[in-house]
Amino acid sequence: MTPLRKRMTEELQLRNYADFTIERYLDAVRSFAKFTGKSPDQAGPEEIRAYLLHLVKDRKAAPSTVQVHRAALKFLFVKTLGRSWFDERVARTRKQSKIPTVLSAEEIKQILDHTANLKHWTIIATFYATGLRCNELRNLKIGDIDSKRMVIHVREGKGRVPRDIGLSPALLEHLRVYWSWGKPKDWLFPSGMRPDRPMERKTIRMACNAAGRRAGINKPSHPHVYRHSCATHMLEAGADLRTIQVLLGHADIQTTARYLRVST
């Protein structure tokens, strides 16, 4: 690890950034260094501008991806290197409003019916039943399933904010079947290669996408789609926005309100 990368990592840790965010920021800075061919502390506004344009024009990156890379570089230059010119010299990427992809209840049933792997089946069912983010699900431990209070403890949500969400009897029964079959010891969904660690995000995404393809669903079926589907179906069933906001762990209810646009 270079001294600069070590310093940036420490600055992120001091500010209590989530491990996932630290990993993404460091990856973005590493990509920037590879693009410029020199140490990031030797770069300036023109190199940053050229890199962001490279993401947009050459790599066809989504606006949200460009925003992450800009945020990572801003942290590096402002917080780690103490260069205050960043916001004045580096343009912001405008947010792009999109309607969330939502699967119907029948499509989700079809996906589950075509998923023979019990671990993958339970992961998809848990996504849909709880609206958890991918990182929240992969970090669940056996002790986070509280069958007495019928809640799931999300120890570290987005922004390191913990929350408890309801556990339905149906999901609890499926989790018990899965536990009896797989006997996980610590992590609820451990890595197949390294049982002492949780599954990788990439592995979970691949399992969800493969399940959708097997079922012949012509829509994305990555983990966040099940989160969108959970929220939309709850809204259609009569749940209020505040309840859904708490379930999903949204800081701003306006984020939750976007499901009004896809609710039938």
Side-chain angles (χ1 to χ4, degrees):
M1 181 182 290
T2 65
L4 180 60
R5 185 181 177 191
K6 183 174 182 292
R7 176 76 178 183
M8 182 176 175
T9 302
E10 291 171 346
E11 292 293 336
L12 287 161
Q13 291 170 338
L14 279 172
R15 289 165 174 78
N16 203 28
Y17 277 65
D19 292 340
F20 176 55
T21 304
I22 293 175
E23 185 181 320
R24 292 194 73 184
Y25 275 24
L26 292 176
D27 282 345
V29 171
R30 192 180 300 113
S31 177
F32 173 67
K34 184 177 179 181
F35 173 79
T36 60
K38 56 187 174 183
S39 177
D41 60 349
Q42 301 299 315
E46 288 304 312
E47 286 90 348
I48 297 172
R49 180 178 182 276
Y51 175 66
L52 295 178
L53 282 172
H54 163 69
L55 293 177
V56 173
K57 293 182 175 181
D58 302 330
R59 290 174 52 178
K60 310 299 182 186
S64 58
T65 301
V66 179
Q67 284 181 327
V68 169
H69 283 252
R70 184 187 185 277
L73 294 174
K74 179 178 177 179
F75 188 95
L76 170 69
F77 281 91
V78 177
K79 303 297 184 183
T80 308
L81 297 173
R83 299 177 185 174
S84 58
W85 45 256
F86 193 93
D87 275 332
E88 292 182 7
R89 305 286 299 277
V90 180
R92 294 176 182 272
T93 302
R94 290 184 62 186
K95 290 183 178 180
Q96 186 178 37
S97 180
K98 295 196 304 182
I99 295 178
T101 299
V102 174
L103 297 167
S104 68
E106 183 57 38
E107 286 171 329
I108 291 172
K109 179 181 182 299
Q110 192 174 334
I111 288 171
L112 291 172
D113 286 346
H114 284 79
T115 304
N117 183 301
L118 182 57
K119 186 177 185 180
H120 295 171
W121 191 100
T122 309
I123 286 172
I124 293 171
T126 303
F127 273 134
Y128 178 56
T130 62
L132 287 172
R133 300 178 178 93
C134 186
N135 212 45
E136 293 171 344
L137 180 134
R138 69 182 287 268
N139 283 316
L140 285 178
K141 294 192 172 185
I142 300 298
D144 295 331
I145 309 301
D146 190 339
S147 58
K148 290 184 178 179
R149 292 182 56 217
M150 294 301 288
V151 297
I152 296 175
H153 302 296
V154 181
R155 291 173 291 106
E156 193 174 293
K158 190 171 184 179
R160 293 191 181 274
V161 179
R163 70 184 187 281
D164 285 351
I165 59 177
L167 170 63
S168 71
L171 179 59
L172 176 60
E173 185 59 33
H174 288 304
L175 288 172
R176 282 173 170 162
V177 171
Y178 160 71
W179 183 87
S180 298
W181 167 79
K183 293 291 191 299
K185 293 180 175 59
D186 184 21
W187 302 102
L188 183 59
F189 300 111
S191 166
M193 300 294 290
R194 293 177 289 181
D196 61 323
R197 301 186 64 179
M199 287 180 72
E200 295 292 335
R201 286 182 294 273
K202 183 178 179 180
T203 305
I204 295 174
R205 288 179 64 89
M206 288 173 62
C208 291
N209 289 331
R213 289 194 299 270
R214 277 195 308 272
I217 304 299
N218 295 320
K219 293 180 184 176
S221 57
H222 54 76
H224 232 64
V225 169
Y226 295 105
R227 177 174 166 87
H228 295 326
S229 303
C230 170
T232 303
H233 296 172
M234 282 185 65
L235 192 62
E236 292 174 345
D240 61 87
L241 280 179
R242 173 59 182 160
T243 299
I244 299 172
Q245 178 191 8
V246 173
L247 174 77
L248 299 183
H250 284 158
D252 187 348
I253 200 167
Q254 290 302 317
T255 306
T256 318
R258 63 181 175 163
Y259 294 112
L260 291 168
R261 292 185 291 165
V262 291
S263 176
T264 57

